[in-house]
Amino acid sequence: MKKVFILGVLFIVGCTAGPMRQDYQSMMNEEVESPFFYVPPLNQKDYADRTWILLAESKTKNWFYDPYTLTEDEDGVLTYDAFIAPREKNNLATYNATMVGPFRQKIDCFSSNQWSETFYSQNIVSKGPLVGDIKPVNGSGWVKIAPRTAMAYVRSRLCGRKFIDDQNINYFLYQEGSLPAPISQKAPVEIFDEKENKQLVIAKQDADRELVNAQSPIFYEVINNEVTITDSKKDVRQMRLSSYVLGKDLAKQADYIFTANCQENSFTLTTQGQGAKSSGTVGEKDSMSAVAFNRACGDHGAYMKLGNKVIN
């Protein structure tokens, strides 16, 4: 009798305190918290309070960096801040949880080594001889940059690239436009052909995914990373720039002279042999004029080389 009573109590408790049935709509209206990331990301301020411009594009990713953080020490080690984002078109917010970073990045242009505060590798190449079996602090360390990789392309842009039959070394400055985003494929569509009396499978492209820009991007580079002071009293400086079409042949577009008046926060961009292309007050921090102005007038350590030609 006692067993029957206990079973009855358990049955009643199970029916009243157990999981209640929930309809589909109320279940979908509940807030779902992802265990992997937050939308928007918790470090959204790290993105929003900075200046980001496109540095490089791989098949699946876009590399952005803050040109105002770019410095070089006397040993030829570059330091800058960057983040990586998927190279695709979506309806997410500008800064979302699909991005990696921002993170502090360093490149040793001489030895072609990379250091990143978010990068870890078992095969670490130290800049100096290690004493004993010393592991890197916080999983960071100098890693050899493999050739023909996205990081090797980033290195060539920041550390300078040399074209064939050209004595100059060009350093990346700015890019207008971007390469087309990859077009995704929809799942095959099955259609019944009455004439053939059989099922046909047709691959259909995703019409909702449009090209980011149908035209080839134009990028600008600083020749030899040199800036010449033309007026020491007014702090007027000049840089020689070259622009190229981002394609297989990297066709030359034009050569420019960028003149920056560091005191008056103004600039003039002159096409060699054709006169002024644009001039005026420096624009937004992510604009071509502002990035070039900062490269000429900003403090980048050993990255920029001051010329000896001083008029006044």
Side-chain angles (χ1 to χ4, degrees), residues 80 90 121:
Y80 62 98
N90 54 53
S121 174

Side-chain angles (χ1 to χ4, degrees), residues 2-22:
K2 200 176 282 187
K3 291 182 178 180
V4 175
F5 176 77
I6 293 173
L7 290 173
V9 171
L10 292 175
F11 179 79
I12 294 172
V13 172
C15 292
T16 56
M20 299 184 66
R21 186 178 181 275
Q22 191 176 31

Side-chain angles (χ1 to χ4, degrees), residues 107-114 142-147 152 155 159:
I107 297 179
D108 188 341
C109 294
F110 179 75
S111 64
S112 191
N113 285 325
Q114 167 205 6
W142 290 93
V143 180
K144 196 72 176 177
I145 299 176
R155 177 196 175 279
C159 296

Side-chain angles (χ1 to χ4, degrees), residues 77 106-108 110-116 119-131 133-137 139-147:
V77 176
K106 294 185 179 183
I107 297 179
D108 188 341
F110 179 75
S111 64
S112 191
N113 285 325
Q114 167 205 6
W115 177 93
S116 173
F119 187 82
Y120 177 77
S121 174
Q122 298 291 339
N123 304 318
I124 290 176
V125 179
S126 174
K127 282 177 64 62
L130 293 177
V131 180
D133 187 15
I134 301 176
K135 294 184 179 180
V137 181
S140 62
W142 290 93
V143 180
K144 196 72 176 177
I145 299 176

Side-chain angles (χ1 to χ4, degrees), residues 229-248:
I229 301 176
T230 59
D231 191 331
S232 59
K233 293 181 180 179
K234 296 182 180 180
D235 199 5
V236 178
R237 306 184 179 191
Q238 286 187 345
M239 293 189 305
R240 291 188 300 144
L241 308 180
S242 287
S243 62
Y244 297 84
V245 179
L246 188 57
K248 293 182 179 179

Side-chain angles (χ1 to χ4, degrees), residues 18-60:
M20 299 184 66
R21 186 178 181 275
Q22 191 176 31
D23 63 277
Y24 174 79
Q25 189 59 42
S26 62
M27 181 179 67
M28 294 302 294
N29 291 336
E30 286 186 357
E31 293 185 1
V32 179
E33 195 169 351
S34 172
F36 302 107
F37 54 81
Y38 294 88
V39 179
L42 296 180
N43 62 335
Q44 187 175 7
K45 289 184 178 180
D46 294 339
Y47 292 104
D49 297 340
R50 306 288 290 277
T51 300
W52 304 108
I53 65 172
L54 184 62
L55 174 63
E57 299 158 286
S58 63
K59 289 183 179 180
T60 58

Side-chain angles (χ1 to χ4, degrees), residues 242-272:
S242 287
S243 62
Y244 297 84
V245 179
L246 188 57
K248 293 182 179 179
D249 300 328
L250 294 179
K252 184 75 168 289
Q253 189 201 39
D255 290 324
Y256 303 95
I257 296 294
F258 183 88
T259 304
N261 189 320
C262 300
Q263 291 184 6
E264 297 181 0
N265 199 41
S266 61
F267 78 98
T268 301
L269 183 64
T270 305
T271 307
Q272 290 189 4

